[in-house]
Amino acid sequence: IVPDPCFWTPEYPYDYGVEVELVQGSECLAVAERRLVIRRFGVRGRRLLLEGKPWVVRGVSHDDVPGVSAAAWRAANAAMSIDHVEPALLEDAARQGVLVIAKVAGALDELTEQLHRLKLFGAVGVVEVLPRDKSATSLKKAAGNLLLAQVCSSAETAPSAMWADLVVCDVVNSQRLP
């Protein structure tokens, strides 16, 4: 029970240590320790919200600026976009207050497995999903506390997927945006 929780934000990256025991009768079958964050981050209408206020994500690819510390990402007020899960990097990002945008791709079962793994890291808030099936509503259930972003090209005009919280579209000319 957390009677008065402190929420994770880039300014105040609070996290909690949790120990969970699986008990059957009087026997302890397993113990797991995790770090977790509680955040008020979401979507309302056409806006991203952080702490109930409109928020603009400024994401930068981690691969484009290798070797930069999580503290520098926080100072730049930038979200870190990653292509590969590196647990130490994600744990440091959570401690420093850096929001992470992770990219995943694959068949539905692969996507579900990746989402289950990503939701264990408090820094990960948004996942860019490249599914083959835009009607895969089970993705939302697998994502838990993550916002799912549908990725599209500037040439696409198809409606957004039912599971998508937001759409990420990489364009060169914004006048051609569908």
Side-chain angles (χ1 to χ4, degrees), residues 39-100:
R39 64 178 161 246
R40 290 189 278 197
F41 178 60
V43 175
R44 185 179 310 135
R46 298 176 68 114
R47 295 181 181 256
L48 282 176
L49 302 176
L50 179 63
E51 294 292 297
K53 298 174 187 161
W55 188 57
V56 175
V57 177
R58 291 171 181 87
V60 178
S61 172
H62 181 260
D63 291 343
D64 289 345
V65 286
V68 175
S69 70
W73 284 87
R74 179 180 174 191
N77 194 25
M80 182 186 300
S81 178
I82 63 166
D83 293 328
H84 307 287
V85 174
E86 298 174 32
L89 175 68
L90 295 177
E91 290 167 9
D92 192 32
R95 279 191 303 276
Q96 293 293 330
V98 178
L99 180 74
V100 173

Coordinates of all heavy atoms in Angstrom, one line a residue, residues 39-100:
R39 N 3.4 6.8 -12.6 CA 3.4 8.1 -13.4 C 2.0 8.5 -13.9 O 1.2 7.6 -14.1 CB 4.4 8.1 -14.5 CG 4.1 7.2 -15.6 CD 5.1 7.2 -16.7 NE 5.0 6.0 -17.4 CZ 5.9 5.1 -17.5 NH1 7.1 5.3 -17.0 NH2 5.7 4.0 -18.1
R40 N 1.7 9.8 -14.0 CA 0.5 10.3 -14.5 C 0.8 10.8 -15.9 O 1.2 11.9 -16.1 CB -0.1 11.3 -13.7 CG -0.6 10.8 -12.4 CD -1.4 11.8 -11.6 NE -0.5 12.6 -10.8 CZ -0.8 13.4 -9.8 NH1 -2.1 13.4 -9.4 NH2 0.1 14.1 -9.2
F41 N 0.8 9.9 -16.9 CA 1.2 10.1 -18.2 C 0.2 9.5 -19.1 O -0.2 8.3 -18.9 CB 2.6 9.5 -18.5 CG 3.2 9.7 -19.8 CD1 3.4 10.9 -20.4 CD2 3.5 8.6 -20.6 CE1 3.9 11.0 -21.7 CE2 4.0 8.7 -21.8 CZ 4.2 9.9 -22.4
G42 N -0.4 10.2 -20.1 CA -1.4 9.6 -20.9 C -1.8 10.5 -22.0 O -1.1 11.4 -22.4
V43 N -2.9 10.1 -22.6 CA -3.5 10.8 -23.8 C -4.9 11.2 -23.5 O -5.7 10.4 -23.0 CB -3.4 9.9 -25.1 CG1 -4.1 10.5 -26.2 CG2 -2.0 9.5 -25.4
R44 N -5.3 12.4 -23.8 CA -6.6 12.8 -23.8 C -6.9 13.6 -25.1 O -6.3 14.6 -25.4 CB -6.9 13.8 -22.6 CG -8.4 14.1 -22.5 CD -8.8 15.0 -21.3 NE -8.2 14.6 -20.1 CZ -7.6 15.4 -19.2 NH1 -7.5 16.7 -19.5 NH2 -7.1 14.9 -18.1
G45 N -7.8 13.0 -25.9 CA -8.1 13.6 -27.2 C -6.9 13.5 -28.1 O -6.3 12.5 -28.3
R46 N -6.4 14.7 -28.5 CA -5.3 14.8 -29.4 C -4.0 15.3 -28.7 O -3.1 15.8 -29.3 CB -5.6 15.7 -30.6 CG -6.7 15.2 -31.4 CD -7.1 16.1 -32.5 NE -6.0 16.2 -33.5 CZ -6.1 15.8 -34.7 NH1 -7.2 15.3 -35.2 NH2 -5.1 15.9 -35.5
R47 N -4.0 15.2 -27.3 CA -2.9 15.7 -26.5 C -2.3 14.7 -25.7 O -3.0 13.8 -25.1 CB -3.4 16.9 -25.6 CG -3.9 18.1 -26.3 CD -4.3 19.1 -25.3 NE -4.8 20.3 -26.0 CZ -4.1 21.4 -26.2 NH1 -2.9 21.5 -25.6 NH2 -4.6 22.4 -26.8
L48 N -1.0 14.7 -25.6 CA -0.2 14.0 -24.6 C -0.3 14.8 -23.3 O -0.1 16.0 -23.3 CB 1.2 13.8 -25.0 CG 1.5 12.7 -26.0 CD1 3.0 12.8 -26.4 CD2 1.1 11.4 -25.6
L49 N -0.4 14.0 -22.1 CA -0.5 14.7 -20.9 C 0.6 14.1 -19.9 O 0.8 12.9 -19.9 CB -1.9 14.5 -20.2 CG -3.1 15.0 -21.0 CD1 -4.3 14.7 -20.2 CD2 -3.0 16.5 -21.2
L50 N 1.2 15.0 -19.2 CA 2.1 14.6 -18.1 C 1.7 15.4 -16.9 O 1.6 16.6 -16.9 CB 3.6 14.9 -18.4 CG 4.6 14.5 -17.4 CD1 4.6 13.0 -17.1 CD2 6.0 15.0 -17.8
E51 N 1.3 14.7 -15.8 CA 0.8 15.3 -14.6 C -0.4 16.1 -14.9 O -0.7 17.2 -14.3 CB 1.9 16.2 -14.0 CG 3.1 15.5 -13.4 CD 2.7 14.6 -12.2 OE1 2.3 15.2 -11.2 OE2 2.9 13.4 -12.3
G52 N -1.2 15.6 -15.8 CA -2.5 16.3 -16.2 C -2.4 17.5 -17.0 O -3.4 18.2 -17.3
K53 N -1.2 17.9 -17.5 CA -0.9 19.0 -18.3 C -0.5 18.7 -19.7 O 0.3 17.7 -19.8 CB 0.1 19.9 -17.6 CG -0.3 20.4 -16.3 CD 0.8 21.2 -15.6 CE 0.4 21.5 -14.2 NZ 1.6 21.8 -13.4
P54 N -0.9 19.4 -20.7 CA -0.4 19.1 -22.1 C 1.2 19.1 -22.1 O 1.8 19.9 -21.5 CB -0.9 20.3 -22.9 CG -2.1 20.8 -22.2 CD -1.7 20.6 -20.7
W55 N 1.6 18.1 -22.9 CA 3.1 17.9 -22.9 C 3.5 17.5 -24.3 O 2.8 16.8 -25.0 CB 3.4 16.7 -22.0 CG 4.8 16.5 -21.7 CD1 5.8 17.3 -21.2 CD2 5.5 15.2 -21.9 NE1 7.0 16.7 -21.1 CE2 6.8 15.4 -21.5 CE3 5.1 14.0 -22.4 CZ2 7.8 14.4 -21.6 CZ3 6.0 12.9 -22.4 CH2 7.4 13.2 -22.0
V56 N 4.7 18.0 -24.7 CA 5.2 17.8 -26.0 C 6.5 16.9 -25.9 O 7.4 17.3 -25.1 CB 5.6 19.1 -26.8 CG1 6.3 18.8 -28.1 CG2 4.3 19.9 -27.0
V57 N 6.5 15.8 -26.5 CA 7.7 14.9 -26.4 C 8.7 15.4 -27.5 O 8.4 15.6 -28.6 CB 7.3 13.4 -26.7 CG1 8.6 12.6 -26.7 CG2 6.3 13.0 -25.7
R58 N 10.0 15.5 -27.1 CA 11.1 15.8 -28.0 C 12.0 14.6 -27.9 O 12.8 14.5 -27.0 CB 11.8 17.1 -27.5 CG 10.9 18.3 -27.7 CD 11.5 19.6 -27.0 NE 10.6 20.7 -27.2 CZ 9.6 21.0 -26.4 NH1 9.4 20.3 -25.4 NH2 8.9 22.1 -26.6
G59 N 11.8 13.7 -28.9 CA 12.6 12.5 -28.9 C 13.8 12.6 -29.8 O 13.8 13.2 -30.8
V60 N 14.9 11.9 -29.3 CA 16.1 11.9 -30.1 C 16.6 10.4 -30.1 O 16.5 9.7 -29.0 CB 17.2 12.7 -29.4 CG1 18.5 12.6 -30.2 CG2 16.8 14.2 -29.3
S61 N 17.0 9.9 -31.2 CA 17.5 8.5 -31.3 C 18.8 8.4 -30.5 O 19.7 9.1 -30.7 CB 17.8 8.2 -32.8 OG 18.4 6.9 -32.8
H62 N 18.8 7.4 -29.6 CA 20.0 7.1 -28.8 C 21.2 6.8 -29.7 O 22.3 7.1 -29.4 CB 19.7 5.9 -27.9 CG 20.8 5.6 -27.0 ND1 21.7 4.5 -27.3 CD2 21.3 6.1 -25.8 CE1 22.6 4.4 -26.3 NE2 22.4 5.4 -25.4
D63 N 20.9 6.1 -30.8 CA 22.0 5.7 -31.8 C 22.7 7.0 -32.4 O 23.8 6.9 -32.8 CB 21.5 4.8 -32.9 CG 21.1 3.5 -32.3 OD1 21.5 3.1 -31.2 OD2 20.3 2.7 -33.0
D64 N 21.9 8.1 -32.5 CA 22.5 9.3 -33.1 C 23.4 10.0 -32.2 O 24.2 10.9 -32.7 CB 21.4 10.2 -33.6 CG 20.6 9.7 -34.8 OD1 21.1 8.8 -35.4 OD2 19.5 10.2 -35.0
V65 N 23.4 9.8 -30.9 CA 24.3 10.5 -30.0 C 24.8 9.5 -29.0 O 24.5 9.5 -27.8 CB 23.5 11.6 -29.2 CG1 23.3 12.8 -30.2 CG2 22.2 11.2 -28.7
P66 N 25.6 8.5 -29.4 CA 26.1 7.5 -28.5 C 27.0 8.1 -27.4 O 27.7 9.1 -27.6 CB 26.9 6.6 -29.5 CG 27.3 7.4 -30.6 CD 26.2 8.5 -30.8
G67 N 27.0 7.4 -26.3 CA 27.9 7.8 -25.2 C 27.4 8.9 -24.3 O 28.1 9.3 -23.4
V68 N 26.3 9.5 -24.6 CA 25.8 10.6 -23.9 C 25.1 10.1 -22.6 O 24.3 9.2 -22.7 CB 24.8 11.5 -24.7 CG1 24.2 12.6 -23.8 CG2 25.5 12.1 -25.9
S69 N 25.4 10.7 -21.5 CA 24.8 10.2 -20.2 C 23.4 10.5 -20.1 O 22.8 11.4 -20.7 CB 25.6 10.8 -19.0 OG 25.2 12.2 -18.9
A70 N 22.7 9.7 -19.2 CA 21.3 9.9 -19.0 C 21.0 11.3 -18.4 O 20.0 11.9 -18.6 CB 20.7 8.8 -18.1
A71 N 22.0 11.7 -17.5 CA 21.9 13.1 -16.9 C 21.9 14.2 -18.0 O 21.1 15.1 -17.9 CB 23.1 13.3 -16.0
A72 N 22.7 14.0 -19.1 CA 22.7 14.9 -20.2 C 21.3 14.9 -20.9 O 20.8 16.0 -21.4 CB 23.8 14.7 -21.1
W73 N 20.7 13.7 -21.1 CA 19.4 13.6 -21.7 C 18.4 14.4 -20.9 O 17.6 15.1 -21.5 CB 19.0 12.2 -21.8 CG 19.7 11.4 -22.9 CD1 20.9 10.7 -22.8 CD2 19.2 11.2 -24.3 NE1 21.2 10.2 -24.0 CE2 20.2 10.4 -24.9 CE3 18.1 11.6 -25.0 CZ2 20.1 10.1 -26.2 CZ3 18.0 11.3 -26.3 CH2 19.0 10.5 -26.9
R74 N 18.5 14.2 -19.6 CA 17.5 15.0 -18.7 C 17.7 16.5 -18.8 O 16.8 17.2 -18.9 CB 17.7 14.5 -17.3 CG 16.7 15.2 -16.4 CD 16.9 14.8 -15.0 NE 16.0 15.6 -14.1 CZ 16.1 15.6 -12.8 NH1 16.9 14.8 -12.2 NH2 15.3 16.4 -12.1
A75 N 19.0 16.9 -18.8 CA 19.3 18.3 -18.9 C 18.8 18.9 -20.2 O 18.3 20.1 -20.3 CB 20.8 18.6 -18.8
A76 N 18.8 18.1 -21.3 CA 18.3 18.6 -22.6 C 16.8 18.4 -22.7 O 16.2 18.8 -23.8 CB 19.0 17.8 -23.7
N77 N 16.1 17.9 -21.7 CA 14.7 17.7 -21.7 C 14.3 16.9 -23.0 O 13.3 17.2 -23.6 CB 13.9 19.0 -21.7 CG 12.5 18.8 -21.3 OD1 12.1 17.8 -20.7 ND2 11.6 19.7 -21.8
A78 N 15.0 15.8 -23.2 CA 14.8 15.0 -24.4 C 14.4 13.6 -24.0 O 14.9 13.0 -23.1 CB 16.0 14.9 -25.3
A79 N 13.5 13.0 -24.8 CA 13.1 11.6 -24.6 C 14.1 10.8 -25.4 O 14.5 11.2 -26.5 CB 11.7 11.4 -25.1
M80 N 14.5 9.7 -24.9 CA 15.5 8.8 -25.6 C 14.7 7.7 -26.4 O 14.0 6.9 -25.8 CB 16.3 8.1 -24.5 CG 17.4 7.2 -25.0 SD 18.3 6.4 -23.7 CE 19.0 7.7 -22.7
S81 N 14.9 7.7 -27.7 CA 14.4 6.7 -28.6 C 15.4 5.6 -28.8 O 16.5 5.9 -29.2 CB 14.0 7.4 -29.9 OG 13.4 6.4 -30.8
I82 N 15.0 4.4 -28.4 CA 15.9 3.2 -28.5 C 15.3 2.2 -29.4 O 14.1 2.0 -29.6 CB 16.2 2.6 -27.1 CG1 14.9 2.1 -26.5 CG2 16.8 3.6 -26.2 CD1 15.1 1.2 -25.3
D83 N 16.2 1.5 -30.1 CA 15.9 0.3 -30.9 C 16.1 -1.0 -30.3 O 15.5 -2.0 -30.7 CB 16.7 0.4 -32.2 CG 16.4 1.5 -33.1 OD1 15.2 2.0 -33.1 OD2 17.3 2.0 -33.8
H84 N 17.0 -1.0 -29.2 CA 17.3 -2.3 -28.5 C 17.2 -2.1 -27.0 O 17.7 -1.0 -26.5 CB 18.7 -2.7 -28.9 CG 18.9 -2.8 -30.4 ND1 18.4 -3.8 -31.2 CD2 19.6 -2.0 -31.2 CE1 18.7 -3.6 -32.4 NE2 19.5 -2.5 -32.5
V85 N 16.8 -3.1 -26.3 CA 16.6 -3.0 -24.9 C 18.0 -3.3 -24.3 O 18.6 -4.3 -24.5 CB 15.6 -4.0 -24.4 CG1 15.6 -4.1 -22.9 CG2 14.2 -3.7 -24.9
E86 N 18.5 -2.3 -23.5 CA 19.7 -2.5 -22.7 C 19.3 -2.2 -21.3 O 19.1 -1.0 -20.9 CB 20.8 -1.5 -23.2 CG 21.2 -1.7 -24.6 CD 22.2 -0.6 -25.0 OE1 22.9 -0.1 -24.2 OE2 22.2 -0.3 -26.2
P87 N 19.1 -3.2 -20.4 CA 18.6 -3.0 -19.1 C 19.3 -1.9 -18.3 O 18.7 -1.1 -17.6 CB 18.7 -4.4 -18.4 CG 18.6 -5.3 -19.6 CD 19.3 -4.6 -20.7
A88 N 20.7 -1.9 -18.3 CA 21.4 -0.9 -17.5 C 21.1 0.5 -18.0 O 20.9 1.4 -17.1 CB 22.9 -1.2 -17.6
L89 N 20.9 0.7 -19.3 CA 20.6 2.0 -19.8 C 19.2 2.4 -19.4 O 19.0 3.6 -19.0 CB 20.7 2.0 -21.3 CG 20.2 3.2 -22.1 CD1 21.2 4.4 -21.8 CD2 20.1 3.0 -23.6
L90 N 18.2 1.5 -19.4 CA 16.9 1.8 -19.0 C 16.7 2.1 -17.5 O 16.0 2.9 -17.1 CB 15.9 0.7 -19.5 CG 15.8 0.5 -21.0 CD1 14.9 -0.7 -21.3 CD2 15.3 1.7 -21.7
E91 N 17.5 1.4 -16.7 CA 17.5 1.6 -15.3 C 18.1 3.0 -15.0 O 17.5 3.7 -14.1 CB 18.2 0.5 -14.6 CG 17.4 -0.8 -14.6 CD 18.3 -2.0 -14.2 OE1 19.4 -1.8 -13.7 OE2 17.8 -3.1 -14.3
D92 N 19.2 3.3 -15.6 CA 19.8 4.7 -15.4 C 18.8 5.8 -15.9 O 18.7 6.8 -15.2 CB 21.1 4.7 -16.2 CG 21.9 6.0 -15.8 OD1 21.8 6.4 -14.6 OD2 22.6 6.5 -16.7
A93 N 18.2 5.6 -17.0 CA 17.2 6.6 -17.5 C 16.1 6.8 -16.5 O 15.7 7.9 -16.3 CB 16.6 6.1 -18.9
A94 N 15.6 5.7 -15.9 CA 14.5 5.8 -14.9 C 15.0 6.6 -13.7 O 14.3 7.5 -13.2 CB 14.0 4.5 -14.5
R95 N 16.2 6.4 -13.2 CA 16.8 7.1 -12.1 C 17.0 8.6 -12.4 O 16.8 9.4 -11.5 CB 18.1 6.4 -11.6 CG 17.9 5.2 -10.8 CD 19.2 4.8 -10.1 NE 20.2 4.5 -11.1 CZ 20.4 3.4 -11.8 NH1 19.6 2.4 -11.5 NH2 21.4 3.2 -12.6
Q96 N 17.4 8.9 -13.6 CA 17.7 10.2 -14.0 C 16.5 11.1 -14.4 O 16.6 12.3 -14.6 CB 18.8 10.2 -15.1 CG 20.1 9.7 -14.7 CD 20.8 10.6 -13.7 OE1 20.6 11.8 -13.7 NE2 21.6 10.0 -12.8
G97 N 15.4 10.4 -14.7 CA 14.2 11.1 -15.1 C 14.1 11.3 -16.6 O 13.7 12.4 -17.1
V98 N 14.6 10.3 -17.4 CA 14.5 10.4 -18.9 C 13.5 9.4 -19.4 O 13.5 8.2 -19.1 CB 15.9 10.0 -19.5 CG1 15.9 10.0 -21.0 CG2 17.0 10.9 -18.9
L99 N 12.5 10.0 -20.1 CA 11.5 9.1 -20.7 C 12.1 8.4 -21.9 O 12.8 9.0 -22.6 CB 10.3 10.0 -21.2 CG 9.2 9.2 -21.8 CD1 8.4 8.4 -20.7 CD2 8.3 10.1 -22.6
V100 N 11.7 7.1 -22.0 CA 12.2 6.3 -23.1 C 11.1 5.9 -24.0 O 10.0 5.5 -23.6 CB 13.0 5.1 -22.6 CG1 13.4 4.1 -23.7 CG2 14.2 5.5 -21.8

